[in-house]
Structures are given as C-alpha cells and as structure tokens.
Amino acid sequence: MTRRTFAFFDWRLRPDQDADAPPTTYAFRCLTLNDDDTECAAKSPASDDPTEPQTWAFAHMREFPEHTSYAEVTERPWAMWREGPT
C-alpha cells in the first residue's frame, strides 16, 4: 500500500499590483450604429493614460459628428495568489 500526503490551498484572485505587472490600459470604442445597423467599432489605441483615449473620442466625433456613443475598454491585470494550507 502506498501512502500519500495531500496539501490543500486557498486561492485568491486579486488585481496584480506587483512591480512587474502589466499596466492597466484604457481605450474607447465607438458604439454608434451605421445606416445598416452595424456598429462603427472604431477604437482608440490603448494607453495607460486614461485621458488619451478620451482625446481620441473627441477627434472621432469631430470627423463623424453623428458618432456620440462610446464605451470605455479597460484592461486591468489580475493574478491568482495561493494562500497557505487550509
């Protein structure tokens, strides 16, 4: 008979705030519907400065004055952390 030992751990999912974690990035996506009911879907470049995508949205609206609906796209790194044996 073989004896086995098992270790159980609790895992937690939380924002990754380590120094080597990727930055949180922001972008905006145009939600305005075209004449054929498809979404414009133009998207700003991602930036770790949230004001840069906002600037893009104003520029996009200047080019397309009827495009007034946007969604913010935020990418925040998360990590699983193992906490001691239960």
Side-chain angles (χ1 to χ4, degrees), residues 9 11 13-14 16 26 31 38-39 41 49 51 55 58 67:
F9 297 91
W11 287 89
L13 180 63
R14 60 185 183 195
D16 190 350
Y26 308 89
L31 300 176
T38 60
E39 194 177 278
D49 176 357
T51 63
T55 301
F58 280 100
H67 291 210

Side-chain angles (χ1 to χ4, degrees), residues 4-72:
R4 293 189 175 129
T5 303
F6 293 92
F8 296 92
F9 297 91
D10 283 331
W11 287 89
R12 302 280 185 243
L13 180 63
R14 60 185 183 195
D16 190 350
Q17 297 175 334
D18 285 349
D20 63 344
T24 298
T25 59
Y26 308 89
F28 270 93
R29 178 170 60 91
C30 182
L31 300 176
T32 302
L33 296 179
N34 296 314
D35 292 337
D36 62 357
D37 282 340
T38 60
E39 194 177 278
C40 169
K43 187 177 175 185
S44 72
S47 173
D48 57 357
D49 176 357
T51 63
E52 288 182 21
Q54 293 171 11
T55 301
W56 172 88
F58 280 100
H60 185 70
M61 191 185 73
R62 278 192 296 276
E63 187 175 350
F64 304 97
E66 68 281 4
H67 291 210
T68 58
S69 184
Y70 297 86
E72 181 182 37

